[in-house]
Amino acid sequence: MKPQQKSAYHHGDLKEALVEATREIIESEGLDQFTMRESARRAGVSHGAPAHHFGDKTGLLTELAVQSFEARVAQSEAYMAEAGDDPMARLRACGLAHIDYTIRHPRLHELCSRPDMTNRDDPHLQAVITRMSEMLIATMSEVAGHELKPEKEANPETLLALVVVHGFAALVNDGMILADVPDAERPARARVLAEGVMGLLEKAFRAPRE
Amino acid sequence: MKPQQKSAYHHGDLKEALVEATREIIESEGLDQFTMRESARRAGVSHGAPAHHFGDKTGLLTELAVQSFEARVAQSEAYMAEAGDDPMARLRACGLAHIDYTIRHPRLHELCSRPDMTNRDDPHLQAVITRMSEMLIATMSEVAGHELKPEKEANPETLLALVVVHGFAALVNDGMILADVPDAERPARARVLAEGVMGLLEKAFRAPRE
DNA sequence: ACCTTTATCTAGACAGCGACAAGATTGGGG
DNA sequence: CCCCAATCTTGTCGCTGTCTAGATAAAGGT
């Protein structure tokens, strides 16, 4: 019953092994270096095996994208739990968590933001994205003091928060800032900069009634 | 001397024709649909012809990226010239110009932000990116009232401006907002939202001395 | 006018890719 | 015990990017 290779056939947990191999390829070599055949090679199976579990290339990548989103949400929940009960502190923690995850896993984030490589109609993918959106709206609602509409573009504060988190991480990953900083130090340096930007932002947040 | 096809050989302006074909493929079909062979087909030459002018796939895409950056910078300059002399108005125009270009040409912007598909060491590419950065710093310096350092991460205001422009456009192109709006209306709708966000932001900008 | 040089483009080959189909192997339910 | 369904292999197809050698045409010197 162990998920070891009992024989050439019936690997035991090939599906997860393929996803894991794919994650390793993408995180170390980059998204364009991934091929189904290379994943099969690393899992020690033939080049046609992955198709049986995932249908096609998009299917495999979609499964990895789902797992990445879940890890992102989990990290965000952990940061927020650590932040205590103050709504603004929880919002900051949420933003910093997303920025941190995006910078620590730039290739996975790239995968997650590429509709041409993932199946946007996949129910698991839709579910985790929905869950992530609801988390944000709930957090923003606590700060606002009343229930906000689920449409993110409905109120400028939600939009601004999204824009800053998304934009800051993208700026780092696109090499427009902190490009010369070693990878290991980048998350810490980014956090300092992000806190500075967020400090500036709170002026805009604390005076919502003009 | 006309750049028409004088004969099968010596197209006359094949290099530019290939770049143009590549632009059309990418803007209409997407970045992953582009192949050197398809560009050659559209230009009416053999599959090996592009390599002579660009070396390899990256060379061709780099040339297109350079042209895209130049168009972006040109549009930004036009918006700013139209905005008059007020520094804050010029900064707003600069930001709106970048957002507009990014949303109108999402595939080209994707190309420009993918180091794995373009040669970052290309001198033309470096030149136009440098020119773009200098424009931003100069514009921010006018607003600040004194000369800012060229490092974008040096002062929070510059960073925040970058973050918001970059992030807003990315949010739209990633389908996280305005996803249900038809392509034709999206730039106009985005502009309204962007002006709203920028209005919120000016509170943070107008009180730089805490 | 001729001939050579050089830039340009063609044509063919190669390995690697994703997808598909057909077959081999294995484990579990009747 | 046996058959069935799930799992994995093997071979094939058209496509890709890149490399090579060769064909063609324009330009320039004499």
Side-chain angles (χ1 to χ4, degrees):
Chain A
M1 295 299 173
K2 301 286 180 61
Q4 301 170 352
Q5 56 177 36
K6 344 170 72 163
S7 70
Y9 280 78
H10 295 81
H11 176 288
D13 197 13
L14 180 56
K15 190 169 183 179
E16 192 52 36
L18 286 169
V19 173
E20 199 52 42
T22 301
R23 186 206 319 281
E24 285 172 11
I25 295 169
I26 291 180
E27 290 230 60
S28 64
E29 312 287 333
L31 190 47
D32 59 330
Q33 292 302 312
F34 154 78
T35 65
M36 299 200 77
R37 290 165 115 103
E38 177 61 23
S39 283
R41 250 171 254 134
R42 297 207 185 193
V45 292
S46 73
H47 69 263
H52 176 70
H53 291 279
F54 302 100
D56 58 2
K57 187 179 182 180
T58 300
L60 208 179
L61 290 177
T62 300
E63 177 61 31
L64 178 57
V66 169
Q67 292 192 11
S68 298
F69 272 119
E70 283 168 352
R72 170 187 291 269
V73 169
Q75 169 162 328
S76 188
E77 283 171 345
Y79 270 54
M80 287 173 69
E82 212 174 307
D85 290 333
D86 176 58
M88 186 62 93
R90 287 172 60 82
L91 178 61
R92 285 177 69 103
C94 180
L96 288 173
H98 278 279
I99 289 175
D100 185 79
Y101 186 87
T102 305
I103 292 175
R104 283 186 196 275
H105 308 283
R107 327 263 207 183
L108 290 180
H109 175 256
E110 186 190 351
L111 169 65
C112 290
S113 64
R114 290 203 38 190
D116 53 322
M117 291 202 152
T118 52
N119 177 18
R120 260 24 210 183
D121 297 331
D122 181 270
H124 298 113
L125 188 56
Q126 289 184 340
V128 69
I129 290 178
T130 299
R131 183 153 155 253
M132 194 174 65
S133 294
E134 286 170 350
M135 259 186 64
L136 169 68
I137 299 298
T139 308
M140 286 299 303
S141 294
E142 290 176 29
V143 173
H146 60 99
E147 194 73 18
L148 295 175
K149 294 180 193 164
E151 296 85 38
K152 302 187 208 68
E153 52 267 58
N155 67 320
E157 283 85 4
T158 303
L159 190 51
L160 183 54
L162 254 180
V163 161
V164 169
V165 169
H166 204 78
F168 186 88
L171 225 51
V172 174
N173 283 347
D174 287 0
M176 298 188 67
I177 57 173
L178 299 180
D180 52 340
V181 174
D183 289 16
E185 300 176 25
R186 195 170 293 124
R189 292 280 304 274
R191 185 185 173 104
V192 175
L193 284 185
E195 284 175 341
V197 171
M198 287 184 173
L200 253 184
L201 259 192
E202 290 199 9
K203 297 178 187 172
F205 270 74
R206 292 202 185 281
R209 322 287 168 217
E210 87 269 10
Chain B
M1 295 296 174
K2 299 287 179 61
Q4 301 169 351
Q5 57 177 37
K6 342 170 74 163
S7 68
Y9 278 78
H10 295 82
H11 174 288
D13 197 12
L14 180 56
K15 189 169 183 178
E16 193 51 37
L18 287 169
V19 173
E20 200 52 41
T22 301
R23 186 205 319 279
E24 287 171 9
I25 295 169
I26 290 180
E27 290 231 59
S28 62
E29 313 286 333
L31 190 46
D32 58 331
Q33 292 302 312
F34 155 78
T35 64
M36 299 201 77
R37 289 166 116 102
E38 177 61 22
S39 282
R41 251 171 252 134
R42 297 207 184 191
V45 293
S46 74
H47 70 263
H52 176 71
H53 291 280
F54 302 100
D56 59 2
K57 188 178 181 179
T58 300
L60 208 179
L61 291 177
T62 300
E63 178 61 31
L64 177 57
V66 169
Q67 292 192 10
S68 298
F69 272 119
E70 283 169 351
R72 170 188 291 269
V73 169
Q75 169 162 326
S76 188
E77 283 171 344
Y79 270 54
M80 288 173 67
E82 211 174 306
D85 290 333
D86 177 57
M88 185 64 91
R90 286 172 60 82
L91 179 60
R92 286 177 67 104
C94 181
L96 288 172
H98 277 279
I99 289 174
D100 185 79
Y101 186 86
T102 305
I103 293 176
R104 284 186 195 275
H105 308 282
R107 327 264 208 182
L108 291 180
H109 174 256
E110 186 191 351
L111 169 66
C112 290
S113 64
R114 289 201 40 188
D116 54 322
M117 290 202 152
T118 52
N119 178 17
R120 263 20 213 187
D121 296 333
D122 182 90
H124 297 113
L125 188 56
Q126 289 185 340
V128 69
I129 290 178
T130 299
R131 183 153 155 253
M132 195 173 66
S133 294
E134 287 170 350
M135 258 185 65
L136 170 67
I137 300 298
T139 307
M140 286 298 304
S141 295
E142 290 175 29
V143 172
H146 60 97
E147 194 73 19
L148 295 176
K149 294 179 193 166
E151 296 86 38
K152 301 186 208 69
E153 51 268 58
N155 66 320
E157 284 85 5
T158 302
L159 191 49
L160 183 55
L162 255 181
V163 161
V164 169
V165 169
H166 204 77
F168 187 88
L171 226 51
V172 174
N173 284 347
D174 288 359
M176 298 188 66
I177 56 173
L178 299 180
D180 52 340
V181 175
D183 290 16
E185 300 176 24
R186 194 170 294 124
R189 292 282 303 274
R191 186 185 173 105
V192 174
L193 283 185
E195 284 175 343
V197 171
M198 287 183 174
L200 253 185
L201 259 192
E202 290 199 7
K203 296 177 187 172
F205 271 76
R206 292 203 185 281
R209 323 288 167 215
E210 86 270 10

